[in-house]
Every structure is written in structure tokens, then in C-alpha cells.
Amino acid sequence: MSLDKIFQNRIKAMLGDEYDSFEKALEKEPVKAVRINALKCIKSESKANADAAYSDNESNGGNLKNYASDILAKTDAKLSKNIAWEPNGFSYEGGTPGKHPYHEAGVYYIQEPSAMSPVAYLDPKPGEKILDLCAAPGGKSTQIASRMMGKGILVTNEIDKKRAQILSLNVERCGIRNTLVTNMRPDQLSEVFEGYFDKILVDAPCSGEGMFRKNDEAVSNWSIENVELCANRQTDILKEAVKMLAPGGKLVYSTCTFAPEEDELQAARLLNMGMKPFKINLFEGMIPGDIENIQKVYKATEAGSMNAELDEIAESISICTARLWPHKIKGEGHFLAVFTKDGDISLNAGLYGVNGKVKAVKQGDVDAFADFAENFLKNVQIVDEADMAAEASNASEVAETAAKKQKGKDQKKANKKNKKGSKGALKLTGSLKGTLFMFGEQLYLAPEGMPGINGLSVMRPGLHLGTMKKDRFEPSHSLALALSKEDVAYSYNLDSDSQDAMKFIGGESLRVSGLDNGWYLITTDGYSLGWAKYAGGTLKNHYPKGLRIYT
Ligand code: SAM
């Protein structure tokens, strides 16, 4: 690898004697890893394993490891190690996990170990409002969603339209229900979401020095001018992120570069913006950031001198930052910094609204969907918000109604009643929760508490349920990936080792006998993969054309 001389001098200035082992590490093969997607395994037969990841990790972690090992073995890969900071992360050797039907079913996400660390420090929890500001292609967003377990709101944003489309596809592939995918500039987003989020991740665009081992272009594109350009852009992005964080909220800033102008200097600027350092515990091999690094690289390249005021914040920087060097950990280069905003997060509930309102569906709009829900989706009821409000006025009645609603015949009654007419917004309750709304003929499910979307450039406003055709409903691929076979009345399994599984993701229809006519959720080893419609001895393939993999 031919490294730029200035880059080498800067790294030598920071690492001293360790420089040689750093360069040697760059010659090694990158570490390969996957992150098991809890959203998929929690709904499959492997539920116990997913639970283990989030409950008592000490005593049950072994189960998850066995589970991950079996999953990887199916793809001919061999699990090698747990990733210390991500319970669902495992490094592996060999195999082709990216080319297996499990990948298309969203069973895992391929992500190198260091890239899993910022979300580990963000520590997302179910029910929170979280923003991933620079999100494509979606490694960290899908990790956040996997920890939120479908509860709360994740706004995942990408400034570049093409990359936002890839992000949107990854959100779909991982079966995420509670996400708004936006394609906006940070300053546009902050106009709408001031003080809104409990947690924000800024995984900033950077000079990519930490990716040299994986990406030759990052090596040849390196220049000190680009480092400076990235640093200024990062400060601009962070200013907007700070505006969007609720008092008491948490912000994680990360890069995949070693340049201290993009790392410690940005952390120092966040402190200047009034953010408080959040003391973090480091995992083995991580080292704290050091404000002196700025002075060191300036001296090495005679580029300038450190601002004296930075001295005062040395202690703060050292407690809230981590550097991941590739010669010290099994992963690529990364930097992360963790902050909080003054205030009390518990006071924010309900305080902040955003512009715009989701337009609810009108009476009669969703008849075809109601039929589909009635015949196909188990334990999903369509309810009228106005009726719910009336019911809520009598607490004891509510308890009784909720119990009744569990029963299938009441579910059918509820769905039929709403076909006649609705007074308020129509909601789904049961195994799919949220407010129904339409974009043209597309039917969506806004997760509970989702902010209004007027004024936003939205790629995916919640879970896409499907298309309302003239007199029928066509379910979407997103809905298939968000459902499990336990959620539906009709499913058809394809063994992941079989020709049929590969044929299905290649778009071929399958000859099968003896099924009832209608929609089938196609699964592979129990993981949902897409839709097929059965008629006349054929399961007609509805795998999206753009996603088909031809072998
Ligand atoms: N978090 C992503 C993941 O884990 O998959 C990787 C994000 S990548 C490091 C940074 C992203 O920031 C890129 O997708 C890039 O398009 C986007 N970006 C570039 N300029 C930006 C800007 N001015 N504001 C916000 N995002 C920007």
C-alpha cells in the first residue's frame, strides 16, 4: 500500500514507536463480521436465542453464539469470535454470507467490528426517539433498529438521494417497522425537528483513513486539503445535530478516520457548543482520544498551531472519546465521542411536536386491505381512533374490550365495522401497531407517535403495507420482511439449501400442488423472504424485480 508521506508523518507523530505495527496491520486482511438481526430471529423459531441477546447475556450468551454459528455455517462461513461491544456481532472466516438467501431475508447485516462500536455507545432502547443523521448505507441504522425492537421512532437520514435509496432498501430487508427514511440536508431537518430526539448518531462523512485496508480509493484520494474540508463540513453537521437533541439527550459522534482535526477537534467544538462529556468505559484495545494529537500533527506537517484554549478541555476529551486503531483491535480504524445535553430527558415527553400532520385514510379507502387483514393477518385489528377515545373514557370498559379483541370473531367484527365508515383516524392494533395513512395509492403504517411528515423529503414514511388497487390490495415486499410466519394464516417454507430458495430470489415461480388459492408469505428456514400468490398449481413469484438475484 503506497501511503502519502504527509499522512505517514502525521500518524507517526501520534503513534511514535507503534507506527510500524500500525503499517503492518494495514497489510493484513480486513476482519469480516456479521451482526445478527434480532428483529428477524425474535419472530422465528429461534426466539429464545434472540431473547438471550438482550436478557442475561452472561448466562445465555452461549446460546446466541451457537445460533450465529449455525447461521454462518449454512453460508459455509466459520464463526471465529464475539465482538466485545456488540452482543449480536460475530467475526467469521470463509463462506459467502452476502450471497445466501438469509442475507436477502435480513437475518444478518455484514458489518466490520469497529463500525458496530458507535451504536453500542449510543445504547438505543425500545421506545426512544432516535436520529441517525448520516445514515447510508444503513449499517448503524439497522443496528439501532435491532436494539429498539420495533418500539419508538427511528428517523434515518441520508443527504445523497441514490445512497438514501440504498438505505431504504436495507431498512426494508431488515424488516424494520418503526422508521422514517428521509433524504434531507441537516439544516433542513433541524428546522423541523428542533429539540426532538432523545438520541442522535452523527456518523460523519470523513477522509476515511480508517478504511485504507478495505478501500484503495480512500488511499489514493487522501490529501490534507480533504481532511480540512471534511473537518469544516463535520462542524456544520454537528451544529444542526445539537439543535435537534432534546435537553438531557445523548449524542454520539463517530468517524472512520485518524485525523485529529476530524476527531478530537470536532469533540472540542461540541464542548464549545455547550455539550457535556459523557464518561465512557473502553473495551480492550480501545484508547481514549487525546487533544494533544491536534498539536502533534500540526507540528509534524507545520500546518499551524493549537489554540491555547484547547488545553482546558483535555480532561473532558479523554473521558468521552475512544480511538480504535487497527493494530490494537480486530477491526478497522474508528473514532467515537459521546456527549449529553444539559436538561432532563424525562421532561421532554410530549413537549415537542413537529410540523405537519399525517393524513389519515378516509372511510372506504381501505376496504380491500381490511379483507386482506381479515383473511391473512393473524391478530391484527383495524380500529377507529374516535371509538378508541370513547372507550378510553371508561377504564374498566377498556380492559374488557382489550380482552375481547384478542378473539378472532371480534377482530372480524371490528374490521367489518370500519369498512362501513370511520369517524377518526384508522389504526391497527395487535401484532402490527400504528396509524394507517396513504400516499397516493400506497398504504402505510405510521408507527405509534410518528411525527408529521409535511415539509420533509421522505423516502419511506413508516412501514409500507402495500398498494390499494381498484378492488384489491397488493401487499408490499416491506410487509413480507416485517412479518413472521406466526403473524400470517398462510406461509410456505423453502429450505435455504434448496434450489427453490435460489429460484425464488431469482424471480422464478414454483410448481406446487395442493395449496389454497391466495397470498403466501414465503419463508426460508422460517425467515420471511417475500410474497407469492398461489393459483392453478403455481406459486406465482412476487419477489421485486429490482432485488432479484440471478444465478
Ligand atoms: N452511518 C453509515 C453506516 O453505518 O452505514 C455510514 C455513513 S458515511 C460514513 C457518511 C454519510 O454522510 C454518507 O452516506 C454521505 O453521503 C453523508 N454525507 C455527506 N455529506 C453530508 C452532509 N453535508 N450532511 C450530512 N450527511 C452527509
Side-chain angles (χ1 to χ4, degrees):
M1 188 180 297
S2 126
L3 298 172
D4 185 285
K5 262 262 149 317
I6 302 177
F7 168 77
Q8 284 180 317
N9 287 340
R10 286 161 55 92
I11 302 292
K12 277 181 193 160
M14 285 189 278
L15 287 181
D17 294 347
E18 287 178 29
Y19 181 78
D20 285 347
S21 41
F22 166 76
E23 254 208 51
K24 271 195 202 118
L26 294 193
E27 299 302 331
K28 289 193 182 151
E29 276 293 302
V31 181
K32 292 188 277 191
V34 292
R35 192 171 33 71
I36 301 292
N37 178 11
L39 294 177
K40 291 301 277 212
C41 50
I42 202 130
K43 289 179 284 179
S44 75
E45 285 151 3
S46 321
K47 184 176 181 341
N49 295 304
D51 286 343
Y54 292 95
S55 56
D56 184 357
N57 199 39
E58 281 281 298
S59 59
N60 295 323
N63 291 346
L64 178 65
K65 193 169 182 178
N66 292 343
Y67 171 65
S69 175
D70 291 349
I71 296 269
L72 284 165
K74 285 268 187 188
T75 74
D76 295 330
K78 190 172 178 313
L79 185 147
S80 36
K81 277 187 105 169
N82 294 62
I83 308 302
W85 41 85
E86 171 52 67
N88 284 353
F90 300 91
S91 58
Y92 69 89
E93 275 157 23
T96 49
K99 292 188 179 141
H100 191 270
Y102 281 179
H103 184 260
E104 304 323 300
V107 176
Y108 45 72
Y109 194 100
I110 298 174
Q111 189 178 33
E112 67 87 18
S114 302
M116 298 179 196
S117 61
V119 172
Y121 285 99
L122 190 71
D123 191 21
K125 296 271 193 305
E128 290 176 337
K129 290 180 286 196
I130 301 185
L131 169 67
D132 186 359
L133 185 53
C134 312
K140 297 180 182 73
S141 276
T142 53
Q143 189 182 4
I144 293 170
S146 176
R147 291 192 179 214
M148 293 173 84
M149 296 309 299
K151 298 194 181 74
I153 305 288
L154 171 62
V155 176
T156 175
N157 180 67
E158 168 56 41
I159 194 168
D160 180 289
K161 192 157 191 179
K162 281 216 172 89
R163 289 177 63 82
Q165 278 159 355
I166 297 168
L167 169 66
S168 186
L169 288 177
N170 278 325
V171 164
E172 174 175 86
R173 185 170 63 81
C174 291
I176 301 169
R177 300 174 175 191
N178 57 327
T179 293
L180 195 64
V181 181
T182 56
N183 168 220
M184 296 176 73
R185 293 194 317 266
D187 63 305
Q188 293 173 317
L189 215 54
S190 72
E191 272 181 29
V192 185
F193 284 108
E194 195 176 336
Y196 182 78
F197 294 102
D198 301 326
K199 288 182 178 163
I200 297 182
L201 175 66
V202 179
D203 185 40
C206 69
S207 56
E209 295 168 354
M211 291 295 137
F212 278 6
R213 192 157 64 171
K214 287 185 81 176
N215 182 350
D216 292 341
E217 235 177 88
V219 182
S220 51
N221 286 346
W222 190 90
S223 71
I224 193 73
E225 291 76 21
N226 189 40
V227 168
E228 277 156 20
L229 189 142
C230 289
N232 290 334
R233 184 165 54 201
Q234 287 151 357
T235 308
D236 290 343
I237 295 173
L238 285 171
K239 277 183 198 155
E240 305 306 325
V242 167
K243 285 185 205 162
M244 289 186 268
L245 192 63
K250 188 184 209 184
L251 183 145
V252 173
Y253 171 71
S254 59
T255 70
C256 57
T257 203
F258 308 115
E261 298 92 325
E262 301 180 58
D263 294 344
E264 283 91 346
L265 183 62
Q266 300 306 320
R269 287 184 177 160
L270 277 165
L271 294 172
N272 272 341
M273 290 176 213
M275 298 294 288
K276 304 290 170 220
F278 182 90
K279 189 173 180 330
I280 58 173
N281 293 320
L282 301 185
F283 289 88
E284 196 186 335
M286 294 181 178
I287 59 164
D290 182 356
I291 198 75
E292 292 273 319
N293 282 334
I294 302 170
Q295 180 79 307
K296 287 178 187 166
V297 299
Y298 278 174
K299 264 196 196 151
T301 51
E302 291 168 10
S305 68
M306 190 174 76
N307 188 337
E309 78 198 67
L310 292 181
D311 281 336
E312 290 161 29
I313 52 175
E315 164 70 9
S316 301
I317 297 288
S318 72
I319 62 165
C320 74
T321 60
R323 276 183 168 264
L324 282 71
W325 289 97
H327 62 293
K328 288 182 171 290
I329 47 124
K330 290 211 171 351
E332 305 309 306
H334 240 77
F335 171 84
L336 62 92
V338 188
F339 300 87
T340 53
K341 196 178 205 176
D342 258 350
D344 181 350
I345 199 84
S346 64
L347 301 176
N348 299 320
L351 259 186
Y352 293 93
V354 291
N355 300 332
K357 266 201 163 348
V358 168
K359 202 165 154 270
V361 289
K362 280 197 255 105
Q363 169 186 333
D365 276 350
V366 290
D367 284 359
F369 172 70
D371 281 339
F372 175 84
E374 200 172 285
N375 295 318
F376 192 82
L377 298 176
K378 284 190 198 162
N379 189 26
V380 169
Q381 300 92 40
I382 303 176
V383 293
D384 191 316
E385 201 178 32
D387 290 347
M388 280 173 88
E391 280 172 18
S393 65
N394 181 337
S396 60
E397 219 179 281
V398 168
E400 239 174 72
T401 317
K404 269 193 204 160
K405 277 182 180 162
Q406 296 301 320
K407 295 183 185 158
K409 59 180 188 209
D410 289 328
Q411 171 182 334
K412 289 193 176 179
K413 231 191 261 166
N415 290 347
K416 288 231 167 74
K417 183 177 162 212
N418 281 303
K419 278 203 305 189
K420 285 189 204 132
S422 51
K423 290 169 263 162
L426 292 184
K427 295 197 165 236
L428 291 191
T429 62
S431 60
L432 281 175
K433 283 193 181 60
T435 305
L436 291 170
F437 73 103
M438 295 194 59
F439 250 27
E441 56 176 18
Q442 305 305 325
L443 183 66
Y444 282 89
L445 185 67
E448 284 176 307
M450 189 178 93
I453 55 172
N454 289 353
L456 301 181
S457 170
V458 180
M459 311 277 302
R460 185 176 287 276
L463 177 64
H464 184 208
L465 294 174
T467 309
M468 304 297 308
K469 303 271 174 154
K470 216 168 176 196
D471 51 1
R472 65 193 164 88
F473 171 75
E474 199 160 300
S476 77
H477 189 58
S478 312
L479 179 61
L481 287 163
L483 292 171
S484 69
K485 68 178 174 18
E486 290 79 17
D487 295 327
V488 301
Y490 302 96
S491 64
Y492 189 84
N493 190 59
L494 304 173
D495 191 333
S496 72
D497 298 333
S498 71
Q499 283 285 322
D500 282 352
M502 291 314 287
K503 277 187 190 165
F504 181 73
I505 58 179
E508 287 183 42
S509 292
L510 305 172
R511 292 292 299 170
V512 179
S513 56
L515 301 182
D516 293 335
N517 283 358
W519 289 106
Y520 280 78
L521 180 71
I522 302 297
T523 60
T524 180
D525 300 347
Y527 302 109
S528 57
L529 192 58
W531 295 113
K533 201 170 185 182
Y534 189 76
T538 302
L539 271 171
K540 187 169 181 287
N541 194 309
H542 281 256
Y543 201 74
K545 287 199 171 67
L547 299 181
R548 290 180 184 175
I549 295 173
Y550 303 102
T551 47

